[in-house]
Amino acid sequence: MGIPNNSVTLTAQQIDELNQKLAKMRHDINNHLSLIVFAVEVLRSKPEMLERMSATLADQPPKITADLAKYSNEFEQVFGITRD
């Protein structure tokens, strides 16, 4: 991964934008994790819901990965980080 050779200076606006994106990412990931916890709690009390809840459980990790990748790409773009 190529990192900038020189110091990177960010404006207050760029820092604020990154912070807002990070807050959104945390919120989105928390929502996905909440769905996982909810599905597990449902299964504890209603094991017959396994088929339906397993789809919810299986959908969450790829969504979390996508959220992380999206933020990472935006972060790298702001800082001028390139992938080799």
Side-chain angles (χ1 to χ4, degrees):
M1 182 177 299
I3 59 172
N5 293 328
N6 301 319
S7 297
V8 176
T9 303
L10 296 177
T11 65
Q13 182 180 359
Q14 288 172 312
I15 292 170
D16 184 54
E17 183 180 336
L18 283 173
N19 190 48
Q20 287 178 21
K21 289 178 181 184
L22 180 59
K24 182 183 181 324
M25 181 188 69
R26 284 191 308 254
H27 175 78
D28 292 347
I29 289 172
N30 187 54
N31 284 346
H32 299 308
L33 293 173
S34 294
L35 284 172
I36 291 170
V37 170
F38 170 76
V40 169
E41 288 177 1
V42 167
L43 288 173
R44 284 184 179 153
S45 62
K46 298 180 181 184
E48 66 276 7
M49 298 284 293
L50 178 61
E51 188 173 329
R52 184 173 178 191
M53 291 295 106
S54 64
T56 297
L57 289 168
D59 288 346
Q60 301 319 304
K63 291 178 179 180
I64 292 170
T65 301
D67 287 343
L68 288 169
K70 181 180 175 188
Y71 179 77
S72 177
N73 290 336
E74 291 170 351
F75 182 87
E76 291 169 356
Q77 187 176 29
V78 167
F79 284 102
I81 299 170
T82 57
R83 293 183 180 263
D84 298 332

